[in-house]
Amino acid sequence: MGSQEDTRSAGTLGFVGSILMLIPYVSIVGDILVLIALYRLSRAYGNNAIWSNALYALVTAIVSGIILAFVLAGTAYLSLIYMGPGALSRLGMAIAFFVAFYIIILISGFFLRNAYNELGRSSGVGDFESAARWYWLGAILTIIIVGLILYIVADVYAILGYSKLRG
């Protein structure tokens, strides 16, 4: 298979995956398809930074989420034992969880931004660089909930970029 065919095939995977990412309950399938597309595109363009940054974003989100869950459970347990079920301990746990969650989102968003910036540079499709910018702004502004809407905007730009790759 030639590079042009690889690019079209990966563009189709990314296009379908990005659309599925917008649909609740099937978004994980979309995430997987987009990761496969980014892997194939990194090979087609000979730019390993696309894949490595996408992989770092995924690994950061998964590993940090698991660690955060264990830390939250441990903190809740210790808080109940030593401080009781008071409002102050619950507020402290909620703040600590939110800050840790926000840091995870920022780190993962940083790598996702880098992956799409590299894809934009390699492919020459400006929509990917726009998607990168919106993903980063979404990560930063997740703290005030607006970021979740910006993630949708980023997904739309990614869809547009993948549709251009399809030919």
Side-chain angles (χ1 to χ4, degrees):
M1 214 193 283
S3 180
Q4 182 70 9
E5 294 159 353
D6 291 342
T7 303
R8 284 187 181 161
S9 170
T12 301
L13 278 175
F15 180 78
V16 171
S18 293
I19 290 172
L20 291 176
M21 285 172 54
L22 297 171
I23 303 171
Y25 305 112
V26 294
S27 63
I28 188 72
V29 175
D31 290 332
I32 292 167
L33 290 177
V34 167
L35 279 172
I36 293 169
L38 289 172
Y39 175 77
R40 289 184 177 180
L41 289 168
S42 73
R43 296 296 171 245
Y45 291 122
N47 184 348
N48 195 44
I50 296 168
W51 170 243
S52 62
N53 279 303
L55 190 60
Y56 292 152
L58 174 71
V59 169
T60 299
I62 291 172
V63 171
S64 299
I66 291 169
I67 291 170
L68 184 61
F70 279 112
V71 168
L72 181 64
T75 304
Y77 177 73
L78 292 174
S79 174
L80 287 173
I81 289 175
Y82 293 111
M83 297 177 75
L88 186 59
S89 65
R90 285 187 298 233
L91 178 63
M93 281 183 3
I95 290 171
F97 179 79
F98 185 74
V99 168
F101 180 74
Y102 183 64
I103 290 170
I104 292 167
I105 293 288
L106 283 177
I107 293 169
S108 186
F110 171 78
F111 288 121
L112 190 61
R113 177 196 69 177
N114 291 347
Y116 275 99
N117 271 332
E118 288 295 326
L119 180 56
R121 281 189 211 108
S122 295
S123 67
V125 177
D127 290 328
F128 290 124
E129 291 173 349
S130 295
R133 185 173 29 260
W134 287 106
Y135 278 128
W136 182 237
L137 288 172
I140 291 170
L141 295 176
T142 297
I143 198 162
I144 56 171
I145 309 300
V146 174
L148 301 175
I149 295 168
L150 298 182
Y151 269 108
I152 295 170
V153 172
D155 284 339
V156 169
Y157 274 108
I159 290 168
L160 293 173
Y162 287 121
S163 70
K164 290 179 182 173
L165 290 182
R166 293 178 10 179

